[in-house]
């Protein structure tokens, strides 16, 4: 195997550049990013408090919603060990503060092993979120299309089993990508990652060796998780719309339709941003790097930001309990 001159043997430290081409305005970009992150944390935390504390909300739909909230919080606040320096420890304990540390305080360094762990956790939580969205779509499908059988089908035991299966699926599929990087690559062209966080293909592109296997496996995981889930979510909502338009009451049709449209918007933004990032890494050489990295960063921020607003604010029981909390 020929190793290019100047390659680095298993670097101890990597450097995250942030958003390539927008380094001069990154401190301004950090302001809306920080606001979205703060809103996401408050919204999802409030959602979880309400669901856990109110026994009337211990139903499958709200349990899936709580699981989505936990995943959103974990996705944006993945704990990172062994960062460099006191300031880096303070700012980089989570993904979003690490990004803000790059934008505002110029602390881009991250240990190689920590970067791999961050990559694993990010993609694992993305897989869990995708599976949770599918579970919520199936729950709505049964509730609307087979309302009399819903309580018999979606028992608390089944919800727990679905949660365990969704989590195991993500871990089992993502773990080999971590092993393939750690075991296959020894030499790297550079230690600079042109990204705001440690993403699978961003790390793979650093290698000075054959990366074909890693690229193929990454695509396999993307389609095995996001592709599979999107197909079944689409089929579920097609059946839901068919059932909704058969309802005799116009008001009931409009209420169900309005709720489904909001949910579909959440699905679309999640999967569109996901597939944009996947395909741009592999086939988007013509896409400017700043657009690619900006959208990839939004991929981690927009779903946690929107989910509590769409699923929480548009759910009547959630709104009632939010009002109770604030006015009490």
């Amino acid at each position: 195997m020929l190793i290019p001159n100047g390659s680095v043997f298993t670097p101890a430290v990597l450097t995250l550049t942030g958003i390539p081409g927008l380094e001069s305005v990154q401190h301004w970009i950090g302001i809306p990013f920080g606001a979205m992150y703060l809103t996401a944390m408050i919204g999802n935390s409030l959602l979880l408090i309400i669901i856990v504390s109110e026994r009337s909300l211990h139903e499958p739909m709200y349990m899936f919603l709580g699981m989505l909230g936990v995943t959103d919080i974990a996705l944006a606040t993945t704990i990172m060990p062994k960062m460099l320096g006191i300031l880096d420890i303070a700012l980089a304990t989570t993904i979003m503060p690490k990004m803000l540390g790059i934008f505002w305080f110029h602390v881009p360094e991250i240990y190689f092993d920590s970067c791999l762990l961050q990559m694993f956790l990010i993609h694992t939580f993305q897989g869990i979120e995708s599976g949770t969205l599918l579970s919520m779509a199936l729950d709505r499908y049964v509730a609307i299309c087979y309302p009399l059988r819903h309580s018999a089908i979606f028992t608390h035991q089944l919800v727990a089993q679905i949660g365990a299966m969704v989590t195991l699926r993500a871990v089992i599929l993502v773990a080999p990508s971590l092993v393939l990087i750690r075991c296959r690559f020894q030499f790297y062209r550079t230690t600079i990652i042109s990204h705001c966080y440690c993403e699978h293909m961003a790390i793979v592109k650093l290698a000075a060796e054959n990366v074909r296997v890693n690229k193929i496996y990454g695509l396999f995981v993307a389609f095995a998780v996001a592709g599979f889930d999107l197909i079944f979510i689409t089929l579920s909502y097609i059946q839901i719309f068919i059932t909704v338009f058969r309802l005799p009451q116009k008001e009931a049709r409009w209420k169900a339709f309005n709720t489904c449209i909001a949910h579909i918007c959440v699905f679309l933004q999640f999967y569109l941003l996901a597939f944009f990032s996947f395909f741009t890494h592999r086939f988007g050489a013509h896409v400017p790097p700043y657009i690619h990295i900006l959208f990839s960063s939004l991929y981690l921020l927009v779903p946690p930001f929107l989910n509590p607003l769409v699923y929480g604010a548009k759910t009547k029981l959630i709104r009632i309990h939010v009002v109770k909390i604030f006015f009490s």
Side-chain angles (χ1 to χ4, degrees):
M1 179 178 62
L2 295 176
I3 304 300
N5 292 331
S7 60
V8 182
F9 179 80
T10 311
V13 178
L14 299 175
T15 301
L16 295 164
T17 63
I19 304 176
L22 297 180
E23 290 87 354
S24 61
V25 295
Q26 282 185 158
H27 56 287
W28 296 111
I29 296 175
I31 295 175
F33 275 29
M36 291 172 66
Y37 170 74
L38 187 61
T39 304
M41 293 304 101
I42 294 174
N44 283 291
S45 299
L46 186 61
L47 202 61
L48 285 174
I49 291 171
I50 292 171
I51 292 173
V52 171
S53 60
E54 295 294 335
R55 293 186 61 84
S56 61
L57 299 180
H58 293 180
E59 298 294 330
M61 180 180 71
Y62 301 108
M63 293 170 71
F64 285 131
L65 185 56
M67 184 176 175
L68 188 66
V70 171
T71 305
D72 283 336
I73 292 173
L75 182 60
T77 60
T78 303
I79 296 176
M80 293 302 303
K82 299 194 301 183
M83 294 298 174
L84 298 176
I86 297 176
L87 182 59
D88 204 22
I89 291 174
L91 293 174
T93 52
T94 61
I95 293 172
M96 190 58 216
K98 177 62 181 176
M99 291 169 62
L100 295 179
I102 297 171
F103 294 165
W104 291 341
F105 303 104
H106 308 290
V107 283
E109 293 82 11
I110 182 172
Y111 277 119
F112 182 76
D113 289 338
S114 296
C115 190
L116 291 182
L117 178 59
Q118 188 187 65
M119 180 206 77
F120 170 75
L121 293 175
I122 286 174
H123 293 303
T124 297
F125 287 128
Q126 286 173 339
I128 294 173
E129 176 146 0
S130 179
T132 305
L133 291 174
L134 172 60
S135 303
M136 295 174 71
L138 293 176
D139 173 69
R140 291 299 83 206
Y141 164 71
V142 175
I144 293 175
C145 299
Y146 304 97
L148 299 180
R149 298 175 57 188
H150 179 262
S151 59
I153 295 174
F154 274 88
T155 61
H156 286 240
Q157 182 181 0
L158 179 63
V159 172
Q161 290 173 346
I162 290 175
M165 289 173 58
V166 165
T167 303
L168 283 175
R169 181 190 68 164
V171 172
I172 292 172
L173 286 175
V174 175
S177 63
L178 181 68
V179 176
L180 285 172
I181 292 175
R182 193 61 177 162
C183 296
R184 293 188 72 243
F185 301 148
Q186 292 183 332
F187 294 91
Y188 293 80
R189 293 188 179 91
T190 178
T191 60
I192 299 175
I193 302 178
S194 298
H195 213 305
C196 297
Y197 57 89
C198 296
E199 197 257 358
H200 175 252
M201 280 304 300
I203 300 175
V204 169
K205 287 181 176 180
L206 303 181
E209 304 168 53
N210 190 340
V211 300
R212 183 185 297 268
V213 173
N214 299 73
K215 285 185 175 182
I216 292 174
Y217 186 76
L219 275 177
F220 164 74
V221 173
F223 283 102
V225 176
F228 175 87
D229 293 350
L230 183 59
I231 289 172
F232 280 91
I233 288 173
T234 302
L235 293 175
S236 298
Y237 272 91
I238 289 173
Q239 291 297 318
I240 288 173
F241 278 122
I242 292 174
T243 303
V244 165
F245 283 114
R246 288 176 180 172
L247 294 175
Q249 301 91 352
K250 184 177 180 181
E251 183 179 348
R253 284 202 307 268
W254 172 249
K255 183 178 179 181
F257 180 78
N258 186 37
T259 301
C260 290
I261 287 297
H263 293 183
I264 288 172
C265 289
V266 173
F267 296 143
L268 286 178
Q269 59 83 23
F270 179 80
Y271 289 108
L272 286 176
L273 288 173
F275 282 112
F276 175 83
S277 180
F278 296 153
F279 288 119
T280 303
H281 262 307
R282 293 162 177 85
F283 314 110
H286 61 284
V287 178
Y290 70 90
I291 292 179
H292 175 207
I293 304 306
L294 190 60
F295 276 83
S296 295
S297 301
L298 289 174
Y299 179 37
L300 293 186
L301 280 173
V302 174
F305 171 74
L306 284 182
N307 287 340
L309 298 176
V310 173
Y311 291 110
K314 289 187 69 66
T315 303
K316 185 177 180 180
L317 286 176
I318 299 290
R319 290 201 307 269
I320 291 173
H321 290 298
V322 169
V323 172
K324 284 183 180 179
I325 287 176
F326 283 103
F327 280 91
S328 62

